[in-house]
DNA sequence: TATAATTTTCAATAAATACTGAAAATATTA
DNA sequence: TAATATTTTCAGTATTTATTGAAAATTATA
């Protein structure tokens, strides 16, 4: 029996997944999502099985508190669901895997958390300034109305996306874009 | 001469602008933009004139270094432009005021900074896994391809938006959405 | 050229955010 | 019920990000 010189398929797969998880963490970080949260999400996206908190802690080498709070956050965003396995006492977690469903879910949440509050603030500002006069006020008011209408439109668009029940609806709706080859974009220096 | 009991129009306007600037800072913060950067942006959006670094420092009560680096950042995003006033030695700054142009500019930058790097990472992962075999690998590979195609589409959409030369093009293109009344969305509790 | 105005840098510090690990609370089984 | 498994909380700590303010570098004027 001689020493294995090639990496086994399982090992290769594990390494590729680890790489993806790490990279997704970096991406998430660049997008303003905490590295750990992005990593948990990535791990669950590429896990055929739902995972327990302990498995996630083990895999990503993070503490229980960290795993716990990030899992709750992912669940609150709707991209991860808690799964009960029969015969098992603990909670398991599984990610939504359909990219379009994920997109719709995140859009709905972002609208609720980020767009609606901004809209409310802007509407308040618009109303305050509509009761004042003078040319300078008018200019300011106009600017606010433009901003407001923009955010309103964003809000409407996001509503449409969020309620695109069938995950297949959007890809089709966006068919006006020809697909391109899978070619890397030149990197920054 | 009796004491003024009502606030002057100028004072009212100043207060309304201050309020907007503060609120925009809060919104920006919720969107992952630093409070100060959002405030500078807001200030410039509602200033009829371009402002100097000193005026911005004074207005927002921030340090020179802070004002400086955030202004550079805003300029690098393309939403603020440096303006040279004749007879004046210092640099002045003015914000783009057309909301749609702003949107196109930000979209272009986000694509370049956030989408393209992610796409490159995903393409690498897809390629790595395409050279491996086994059913588990195939499942992983499929998931990566879906993600990749999604990001690719996002990239294409953003390209279209970014190059929508005329700022009027997009509002028209998005006409499929009926406008709604300016009504506040119910707040969270 | 020297002088003054202005911009840029950056070490030090403050503030915000993320993470740990263990204790407390809760839920499950015997 | 008690014993055990599991989840949740949270004070303390580490890490990251934002800000200050003054010195250095740059640019413009006399």
């Amino acid at each position: 029996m001689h020493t294995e010189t090639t990496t086994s398929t399982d090992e290769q797969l594990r390494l590729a997944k680890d790489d993806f998880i790490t990279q997704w963490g970096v991406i998430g970080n660049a997008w303003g999502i905490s590295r750990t949260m992005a990593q948990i999400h990535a791990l669950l996206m590429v896990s055929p099985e739902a995972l327990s908190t302990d498995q996630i802690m083990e895999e990503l080498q993070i503490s229980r508190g960290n795993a716990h709070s990030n899992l709750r956050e992912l669940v609150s965003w709707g991209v991860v669901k808690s799964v009960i396995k029969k015969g098992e006492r603990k909670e398991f977690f599984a990610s939504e895997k359909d990219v379009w469903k994920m997109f719709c879910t995140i859009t709905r949440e972002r609208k609720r958390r980020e767009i609606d509050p901004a809209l409310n603030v802007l509407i308040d500002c618009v109303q305050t300034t509509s009761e004042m006069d003078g040319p300078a006020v008018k200019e300011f008011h106009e600017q606010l109305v433009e901003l407001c209408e923009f955010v309103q439109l964003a809000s409407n668009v996001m509503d449409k996306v969020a309620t695109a029940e069938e995950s297949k609806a959007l890809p089709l709706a966006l068919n006006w874009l020809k697909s391109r080859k899978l070619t890397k974009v030149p990197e920054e220096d």
Side-chain angles (χ1 to χ4, degrees), chain A residues 64-178:
Chain A
R64 182 173 304 282
N66 195 8
H68 175 78
S69 61
N70 280 295
L71 278 167
R72 288 296 147 216
E73 186 75 3
L74 285 165
V75 168
S76 88
W77 273 90
V79 291
V80 164
K81 292 252 183 304
S82 152
V83 172
I84 303 131
K85 285 193 184 178
K86 62 180 177 183
E88 286 280 7
R89 205 151 143 176
K90 39 172 165 283
E91 200 174 5
F92 289 76
F93 298 91
S95 168
E96 170 62 59
K97 298 200 175 171
D98 182 317
V99 183
W100 287 98
K101 279 189 187 161
M102 255 172 54
F103 176 64
C104 295
T105 303
I106 290 169
T107 299
R108 174 164 49 251
E109 275 305 301
R110 289 188 77 119
K111 176 187 177 291
R112 200 177 64 77
R113 297 179 189 211
E114 296 170 4
I115 303 297
D116 287 347
L119 195 51
N120 287 341
V121 163
L122 288 174
I123 289 172
D124 276 346
C125 290
V126 165
Q127 270 161 6
T128 305
T129 51
S130 69
E131 291 154 5
M132 296 162 58
D133 20 53
V137 169
K138 193 161 181 195
E139 194 177 342
F140 175 41
H141 183 256
E142 282 305 310
Q143 183 69 49
L144 289 178
V145 168
E146 271 189 42
L147 266 177
C148 207
E149 281 173 351
F150 174 80
V151 177
Q152 180 87 71
L153 178 56
S155 175
N156 290 346
V157 171
M158 289 170 98
D159 262 342
K160 282 248 164 128
V161 171
T163 56
E165 298 280 313
E166 265 317 295
S167 64
K168 301 287 176 233
L170 266 174
L172 286 172
L174 290 167
N175 234 358
W176 48 293
L177 281 164
K178 287 190 282 293

Side-chain angles (χ1 to χ4, degrees), chain A residues 36-48:
Chain A
T36 306
M37 198 166 119
Q39 286 183 345
I40 295 178
H41 185 217
L43 172 60
L44 293 177
M45 272 198 297
V46 300
S47 278

